[in-house]
Amino acid sequence: MKGTYLIASAQLLGAFCLLGILTVLPPARGTMLLQPFGPHRHHGVAAMAIAAGAFPVGRSANGALIVRGDRRRLAAALLPHAIIPLAAPERFCGPMEKA
């Protein structure tokens, strides 16, 4: 009986983790939030995103860039610079400032 509760708890934890990942996973194409990490934070993010074929749409409440583009192209160009593309639903990003 104890093992059954352990398995059920592990399955629930796995389901919640998967939901969390799916919440921030950016779409293959569409609107994404580019969240920079590292010492230079927001320096040059827009130029790198445009070079990767993205179209700037605005900024989030914390100043991260919101773009429309292709996830693979953006990830290939930005991940080496510690800039992570994330899903950009308005309920999590807050109201967007127009670019």
Side-chain angles (χ1 to χ4, degrees), residues 1-94:
M1 194 77 157
K2 191 175 185 181
T4 305
Y5 289 121
L6 184 60
I7 291 171
S9 297
Q11 288 175 338
L12 270 174
L13 180 62
F16 282 120
C17 288
L18 181 62
L19 284 174
I21 290 169
L22 291 175
T23 301
V24 297
L25 184 69
R29 286 190 183 88
T31 305
M32 290 171 249
L33 176 108
L34 303 181
Q35 181 61 57
F37 294 94
H40 302 294
R41 301 255 327 147
H42 301 287
H43 181 65
V45 175
M48 286 187 274
I50 291 168
F55 177 76
V57 177
R59 292 207 173 266
S60 71
N62 74 347
L65 187 64
I66 299 175
V67 299
R68 282 195 193 103
D70 181 84
R71 178 180 62 208
R72 284 187 181 185
R73 289 183 67 186
L74 285 167
L78 301 176
L79 285 176
H81 300 281
I83 302 167
I84 314 272
L86 301 169
E90 190 171 330
R91 66 182 176 268
F92 296 127
C93 297

